[in-house]
């Protein structure tokens, strides 16, 4: 029913009696490891047979905090996410204790401080159950198997390679592993996420030139006509020009700037293939 | 040499599920309709005789697989993959599957916990893949499920995931009527009363 | 679940031919005679229906194989088997993708090994292309990724490549996880008391 959930068994005698107060009499703690605060909340709702749409926030808050205390007592690591939820619960509880402000016209619905939490819980519950339904399927390699071998004579026939199969993650990860291996002085960060770098711009121009033979300077800055963008684009073009990868044209004085790739790939490709032999 | 026998051979030696399109491409001398009919013959043939394997539709293609229930015997001579998924992996996978394309922040909002580690391990297992970047400030990565996800979980396509409504119907926990009195009495706590010991020094 | 269906599953998943002895060992709860009979049923079943595969005795064991005569069809598809990437190809491709425009010498400097062969095969697979020649002595060729590269990885443009930072971020532990005490403790809540003022609207 709960695949992968590690049950941590613990008996009541090891737990402070004060903690058990009010939870139940012969309370033997069957302590599950919860996958986060939402999971714990759902468990409490089910255990108390509560209606998820009308959670008695005081009860739930109390039991929730008891569990966290218990986790600490058992020296289990309490992740920060649990504490964030504890704060949320306390906040909701405090708001429910405050005198009801007369709801203004039209905002009656949101008057319940629990509304947002309930929505999240109901949605979470759906995915939690979906996860269990998915996990209960007959899995390939576990319940279901495919053929593992080919006829030897057929294996011999497979020398031509078909479409490539590799994921983007594998590509990035390969690069990450490589960089972890090489000495630090070679390392400089690959992409500046925040600002638009010259390297980004070069990449953008190169992608554009993969589809077309001519590109106009204005096109590159049209969508984002900022000083930074124009300068970066210009520097990128100069760099590409220096690398002799593009040629730049201008239609007379103050005319539009155009650039074209300076080499066609095929002609160079041939000479290269021989040089690599 | 019938067309269905040819198709049987092709599937028998295929490493991955083959779509009808791909099959038609491979067997270009036959008409699509003929191939479709032959495929049906093969599917039925497995079902009619009491066979240990069957031809099933997964990940947009067809593939011979052993029927569920034979794993006890099969795993005696080949190793079963320890395809053990933790609850958090399954939850995250479900969220990515139903809500894709989705960012890490969105997954975390739904689950209420940090999901970086789980996402990374799903990426490593190739069940989840990076779809690109979202066109919002910060350009966060967006995730979706992979073809391997469909293959491993034996799904024809994403549409054949159980709908969330169906899942709710499966749920065995009864839905409680809105009730005036909550079973608070049993636990001896009432609204507005005591806070727990947690924060005592 | 008949014995012959079980045996069919076992053969279907076996990597090599299985001898009768081995089969009896695997299916120890069945009698040798039963197994022999079930094996015969399977052999006949393949022959009776017009099947593309058959169960044959080879190298002292039994194995499902495609019947002779179907090679023409089978090899078409085997040839189109999807290619897996070697680690060195993946690394080289990653370097080119992230550091383009880049020369062969620069790739080799990073990888610490000769990359001529790998680059050549990437060029042949059209994942990498030559962008031009660098204006330094020797005029080395400059490499970059191709349009096919973007297609294979499903990227809109090079800007959509996930950055290293983003992948590393998956492993980052959220900063609050390390803190010892809940800051709420400071508000001094204790059992039976009312709620603190902390959360006033």
């Amino acid at each position: 029913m709960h695949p992968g959930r590690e049950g941590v068994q613990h008996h009541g005698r090891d737990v402070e009696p004060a903690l058990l107060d009010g939870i139940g009499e012969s309370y033997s703690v069957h302590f599950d490891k919860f996958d986060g605060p939402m999971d714990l909340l759902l468990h409490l709702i089910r255990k108390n047979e509560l209606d998820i749409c009308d959670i008695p926030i005081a009860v739930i808050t109390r039991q929730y905090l008891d569990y966290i205390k218990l986790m600490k007592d058992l020296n289990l690591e309490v992740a920060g996410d649990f504490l964030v939820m504890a704060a949320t619960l306390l906040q909701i509880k405090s708001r429910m204790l405050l005198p009801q402000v007369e709801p203004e016209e039209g905002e009656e619905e949101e008057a319940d401080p629990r509304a947002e939490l309930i929505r999240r819980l109901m949605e979470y519950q759906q995915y939690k159950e979906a996860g269990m339904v998915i996990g209960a399927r007959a899995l390939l390699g576990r319940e279901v198997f495919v053929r593992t071998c080919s006829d030897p004579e057929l294996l011999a026939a497979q020398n031509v390679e078909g479409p490539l199969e590799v994921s983007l993650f594998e590509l990035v990860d390969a690069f990450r592993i490589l960089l972890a291996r090489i000495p630090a002085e070679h390392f400089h960060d690959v992409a500046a996420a925040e600002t638009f770098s010259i390297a980004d711009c070069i990449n953008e121009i190169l992608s554009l030139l993969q589809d077309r033979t001519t590109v106009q300077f204005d096109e590159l800055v049209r969508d984002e006509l900022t000083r930074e963008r124009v300068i970066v684009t210009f520097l990128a073009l100069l760099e590409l020009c220096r690398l002799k990868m593009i040629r730049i044209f201008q239609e007379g004085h103050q005319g539009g700037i155009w650039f074209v790739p300076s080499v066609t790939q095929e002609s160079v490709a041939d000479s290269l293939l021989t040089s690599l032999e | 040499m019938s067309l269905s026998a040819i198709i049987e051979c092709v599937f028998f030696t295929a490493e991955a599920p083959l779509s009808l399109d791909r099959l038609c491409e491979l067997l270009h001398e036959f008409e699509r309709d003929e191939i479709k009919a032959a495929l049906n013959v093969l599917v039925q043939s497995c079902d009619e005789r009491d066979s240990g394997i069957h031809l099933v539709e997964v990940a947009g293609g067809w593939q011979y697989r052993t029927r569920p229930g034979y794993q006890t015997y099969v795993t005696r001579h080949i190793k079963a993959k320890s395809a053990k998924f933790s609850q958090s992996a399954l939850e995250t996978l479900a969220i990515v599957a139903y809500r894709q394309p989705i960012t890490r922040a969105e997954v975390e909002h739904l689950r209420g916990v940090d999901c970086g580690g789980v996402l990374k391990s799903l990426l490593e297992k190739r069940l989840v893949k990076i779809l690109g970047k979202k066109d919002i400030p910060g350009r966060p990565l967006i995730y979706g499920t992979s073809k391997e996800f469909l293959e491993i979980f034996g799904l024809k396509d994403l549409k054949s995931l159980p709908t969330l409504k169906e899942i709710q119907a499966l749920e065995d926990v009864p839905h409680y009527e809105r009730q005036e009195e909550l079973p608070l009495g049993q636990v001896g706590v009432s609204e507005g009363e005591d806070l727990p010991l947690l924060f005592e020094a």
Side-chain angles (χ1 to χ4, degrees), chain A residues 22 35-36 46 49 59 65-66 81 93 120 123-124 127-128 134 137 139-143 145 147, chain B residues 12 65-66 71 81 83 87 91 99 109 111-113 126 152-154 167 171 176 184 187 193 196:
Chain A
D35 276 311
R46 288 194 178 178
E49 302 188 344
V59 181
L65 295 175
D66 281 348
D81 309 297
K93 184 174 167 184
R120 279 181 68 193
E123 197 168 5
Y124 171 74
Y127 291 119
K128 182 181 149 81
I134 291 173
R137 294 182 67 87
L139 298 193
L140 185 63
R142 198 175 71 181
E143 281 94 11
F145 300 87
R147 209 167 159 267
Chain B
F12 185 71
R65 295 188 162 195
T66 61
Q71 63 268 27
K81 284 185 200 130
Q87 190 196 332
E91 258 174 47
R99 295 278 297 254
H109 178 71
R111 290 198 57 222
V113 281
R126 304 184 67 161
I152 288 177
F153 287 86
I167 289 168
E171 213 205 328
Y176 289 92
L184 302 181
V187 288
E193 225 183 74

Side-chain angles (χ1 to χ4, degrees), chain B residues 72 85-86 98 118 152 184:
Chain B
T72 354
F85 292 101
S86 66
Y98 284 95
V118 188
I152 288 177
L184 302 181

Side-chain angles (χ1 to χ4, degrees), chain A residues 44-151:
Chain A
L44 293 175
I45 290 168
R46 288 194 178 178
K47 196 185 71 163
N48 292 309
E49 302 188 344
L50 300 175
D51 179 2
I52 194 169
C53 298
D54 189 17
I55 310 167
I57 213 78
V59 181
I60 286 297
T61 305
R62 182 199 153 86
Q63 293 193 9
Y64 182 90
L65 295 175
D66 281 348
Y67 260 94
I68 292 185
K69 172 114 175 30
L70 193 59
M71 277 196 249
K72 287 190 164 178
D73 289 346
L74 298 176
N75 278 324
L76 294 173
E77 198 187 336
V78 180
D81 309 297
F82 280 94
L83 306 182
V84 171
M85 179 59 78
T88 307
L89 287 171
L90 288 169
Q91 187 185 24
I92 294 172
K93 184 174 167 184
S94 72
R95 277 174 53 200
M96 293 193 72
L97 289 175
L98 291 175
Q100 272 304 110
V101 185
E102 282 297 305
E104 285 180 35
E105 291 292 314
E107 56 178 50
E108 235 164 306
E109 279 307 312
E110 283 303 303
D112 190 341
R114 302 170 298 176
E116 163 68 13
L117 179 68
I118 288 170
R119 248 198 318 270
R120 279 181 68 193
L121 273 172
M122 288 176 75
E123 197 168 5
Y124 171 74
Q125 178 176 246
Q126 278 195 319
Y127 291 119
K128 182 181 149 81
E129 276 151 17
M132 289 197 286
V133 170
I134 291 173
R137 294 182 67 87
L139 298 193
L140 185 63
R142 198 175 71 181
E143 281 94 11
V144 161
F145 300 87
V146 291
R147 209 167 159 267
T148 39
C149 81
S150 302
D151 291 23

Side-chain angles (χ1 to χ4, degrees), chain B residues 107-180:
Chain B
V107 176
E108 289 177 346
H109 178 71
L110 283 168
R111 290 198 57 222
V113 281
D114 175 77
C115 298
V118 188
L119 272 175
K120 181 149 189 267
S121 108
L122 291 174
L123 280 166
E124 278 165 353
K125 287 184 181 132
R126 304 184 67 161
L127 292 166
V128 159
K129 64 180 180 183
I130 297 166
L131 298 177
K133 294 185 178 187
K134 195 165 180 174
D135 258 336
I136 55 169
R139 312 234 316 133
L141 292 175
I142 39 179
Y143 301 92
T145 50
S146 64
K147 206 176 152 195
E148 281 89 343
F149 166 74
L150 296 176
E151 284 184 28
I152 288 177
F153 287 86
L155 293 161
K156 201 169 96 181
D157 47 33
L158 284 174
K159 274 179 267 167
S160 51
L161 275 171
T163 65
L164 293 174
K165 262 186 200 154
E166 281 172 44
I167 289 168
Q168 269 190 330
L170 289 177
E171 213 205 328
D172 46 2
V173 176
H175 222 76
Y176 289 92
E177 294 285 314
R178 279 192 158 246
Q179 53 196 46
E180 280 305 299

Side-chain angles (χ1 to χ4, degrees), chain B residues 74-89:
Chain B
V74 172
T75 51
R76 287 179 191 173
H77 70 112
I78 63 160
K79 263 201 187 140
K81 284 185 200 130
S82 54
K84 229 187 163 184
F85 292 101
S86 66
Q87 190 196 332
S88 65

